Amino acid sequence: MDRHCIVFCLLGLSLPASAMDLKQAWDLLQYQGLIYRAAVHEKAAGEENRAIGKAGLLPQVNASAYDNKVNGTQRQNGLDRDLDYDSKGANVRLRQPLFNKQKMAEYRQGKQRADYSVAVFDAKSQDAAVRLAESYFDVLLASETILLAKSKLNAFEEQLASAKRRMELGAGTITDIDESVARRDLAEAELIEAQDNLVNARRKLEEYIGEPPESLTTLQPTFATPPLLPSNLQDWLVKAQADSPLIHARRHSSALAEEEVKRAKAGHWPTLDFVAGYTAGDSQSISELNQRNRYSSIGLEVNFPLYSGGGTSALARQASANSYKAMDELDATRQEVITGTTREYQGVQSGAQRIHALEKAVASNERSLASTRKGFKEGGTSTNSDVLNAEELLFVARHDLFEAKLRYLMSRLRLASSVGSLGDDDIDHINNYLGPELLVTN
């Protein structure tokens, strides 16, 4: 049975009917995600370059056969004679390169192309994990936004009802009612937008995992922010430059370009081949009947390139320019990886601080809202506008806190991807932050 089929069967047994977590989504992506599967096939195709490059150094054997019917006339000494005979035969020819600098360069290029394809797959695999997490978290954020928007809408409707009652009792004003209506209508618009975002986020996640998610697990109430290991940015930068699959791919690309320069310049060099052949043929003619030819040959063949119209020199100059280009691209990629690693390292560090600050902001806004409502209802020290503003600030604080947690998790994943270490362990680590089930069908 196919390995992926076995994995999928086991996955099906382990999946709860009601919810999917990030680890299960990652398993689905590897099994049936079209983008990931395309990368797998691309890697398999690229690894064949190793055998393709080696083939040029191995013996080349060719065979051919012919069976002809000759029919015609021949004029000789003023006489016409009919030609009617058979001619058939076969030959086998072997050629073994003994000295060929171009074939040697192509052999080394085959190895570089195969290694390049592996590095590209590693980069695409880690990028797929990052993009999957982004899509997964987009669904969670859209769903959380809907919940918060509904809560805010209910609060504004309650405040509107309170303003109307106060108006009936002579303690309120039409301004309070108008302001409450305006805030409620804006909350309805925000809810509609959040629902649209959820539909789009679900479709994006479906694109990655190959099936629509009915429900997902969302963030647990407790959220830990352990320190990074290693804790020093310089250690992460050293690891990134040594292990980043993007840098590895560029290195192989640069080495491949260097070999192309050698291959192009080798066009000026002679080649030496060992050649062996065997020919067998049967034919007849007017002068001789039933001719049979059987012979073999063995020897060395030398070819000297003398002049190709300047094409060989032009190819060498072109390959040299492309080699310099590949080296510049390697340096540019190295700088991009350093920048990305630094950004994500800072994102994890500052993200933890921002989460702690927003947790305090949510708590303080909850207390502020409670005090404002009490002052509005009892002491008259707060206005209707104060209550609406407090509701809005609490909504923003809760939304920002949830988003900050997701951004923190994404920074950890991107940091692992930058240094080329993102794998199942990192997915499992992030998956531990998920717990309660969240319906996403609405």
Side-chain angles (χ1 to χ4, degrees), residues 359-380:
E359 286 175 341
K360 291 188 290 185
V362 169
S364 60
N365 275 281
E366 288 174 345
R367 293 191 298 270
S368 174
L369 176 60
S371 299
T372 304
R373 283 177 173 172
K374 183 177 181 180
F376 178 72
K377 293 180 179 179
E378 299 178 1

Side-chain angles (χ1 to χ4, degrees), residues 3 21 34 48-49 111 137 150 164 184 219 309 388:
R3 180 177 65 87
D21 59 21
L34 297 180
E48 294 300 326
N49 284 299
K111 295 173 61 177
F137 291 158
K150 287 181 177 179
K164 289 180 177 180
R184 183 203 60 187
L219 294 179
L388 295 175

Side-chain angles (χ1 to χ4, degrees), residues 182-194:
R183 293 294 186 94
R184 183 203 60 187
D185 294 343
L186 183 59
E188 287 180 344
E190 292 175 351
L191 176 59
I192 294 173
E193 181 182 5

Side-chain angles (χ1 to χ4, degrees), residues 49-302:
N49 284 299
R50 200 182 306 274
I52 293 173
K54 184 179 180 181
L57 300 178
L58 299 178
Q60 308 295 311
V61 181
N62 297 294
S64 63
Y66 61 92
D67 187 354
N68 300 322
K69 178 72 172 178
V70 179
N71 192 303
T73 60
Q74 182 186 56
R75 177 175 288 274
Q76 187 175 9
N77 297 327
L79 297 176
D80 291 335
R81 297 179 181 180
D82 292 333
L83 298 179
D84 187 5
Y85 63 91
D86 295 327
S87 175
K88 57 185 177 181
N91 64 74
V92 178
R93 188 175 180 84
L94 177 144
R95 179 182 294 272
Q96 170 63 57
L98 299 179
F99 178 79
N100 192 315
K101 292 177 71 69
Q102 284 189 325
K103 296 296 183 183
M104 284 299 300
E106 290 171 0
Y107 166 69
R108 294 189 295 267
Q109 283 183 317
K111 295 173 61 177
Q112 293 295 343
R113 286 191 175 97
D115 293 339
Y116 172 82
S117 67
V118 173
V120 168
F121 174 76
D122 290 342
K124 289 188 175 182
S125 176
Q126 298 196 30
D127 182 67
V130 170
R131 291 180 179 273
L132 171 68
E134 286 178 342
S135 299
Y136 188 101
F137 291 158
D138 284 345
V139 176
L140 298 189
L141 180 60
S143 300
E144 181 69 13
T145 304
I146 289 176
L147 293 176
L148 293 175
K150 287 181 177 179
S151 176
K152 183 171 70 170
L153 178 60
N154 292 335
F156 285 168
E157 287 179 341
E158 291 178 1
Q159 191 63 23
L160 174 60
S162 176
K164 289 180 177 180
R165 287 195 299 270
R166 289 172 61 86
M167 182 70 176
E168 293 173 354
L169 296 174
T173 65
I174 191 63
T175 301
D176 291 342
I177 295 177
D178 291 341
E179 187 175 23
S180 299
V181 170
R183 293 294 186 94
R184 183 203 60 187
D185 294 343
L186 183 59
E188 287 180 344
E190 292 175 351
L191 176 59
I192 294 173
E193 181 182 5
Q195 291 169 337
D196 288 341
N197 290 338
L198 177 59
V199 172
N200 296 331
R202 287 189 68 240
R203 184 63 188 87
K204 187 65 175 180
L205 181 58
E206 179 183 350
E207 177 184 335
Y208 277 102
I209 64 177
E211 63 181 54
E214 293 301 324
S215 60
L216 304 176
T217 54
T218 190
L219 294 179
Q220 296 183 12
T222 58
F223 194 92
T225 55
L228 284 172
L229 295 175
S231 59
N232 191 298
L233 173 60
Q234 189 60 35
D235 293 336
W236 285 96
L237 295 179
V238 171
K239 184 174 177 57
Q241 295 181 74
D243 300 332
S244 170
L246 292 177
I247 293 180
H248 284 175
R250 286 299 185 189
R251 283 174 179 161
H252 291 305
S253 181
S254 179
L256 179 62
E258 291 178 5
E259 291 297 337
E260 181 61 22
V261 175
K262 297 177 182 178
R263 194 190 76 84
K265 290 182 177 180
H268 293 296
W269 284 74
T271 61
L272 176 63
D273 296 336
F274 169 80
V275 181
Y278 178 79
T279 301
D282 295 325
S283 64
Q284 61 183 4
S285 65
I286 295 174
S287 59
E288 296 184 32
L289 299 177
N290 299 323
Q291 298 180 59
R292 301 190 67 192
N293 301 310
R294 302 287 188 274
Y295 60 89
S296 60
S297 63
I298 186 171
L300 299 176
E301 183 178 300
V302 181

Side-chain angles (χ1 to χ4, degrees), residues 137 223-228 344-356 401-415 429-430 433:
F137 291 158
F223 194 92
T225 55
L228 284 172
E344 301 310 331
Y345 174 87
Q346 296 296 339
V348 173
Q349 301 289 61
S350 62
Q353 297 173 0
R354 188 166 188 267
I355 289 172
H356 297 154
L401 174 59
F402 193 88
E403 186 177 22
K405 291 178 178 179
L406 298 180
R407 289 172 60 182
Y408 170 83
L409 297 179
M410 286 305 308
S411 291
R412 294 197 74 110
L413 286 176
R414 291 195 186 100
L415 180 60
H429 175 72
I430 300 301
Y433 283 88

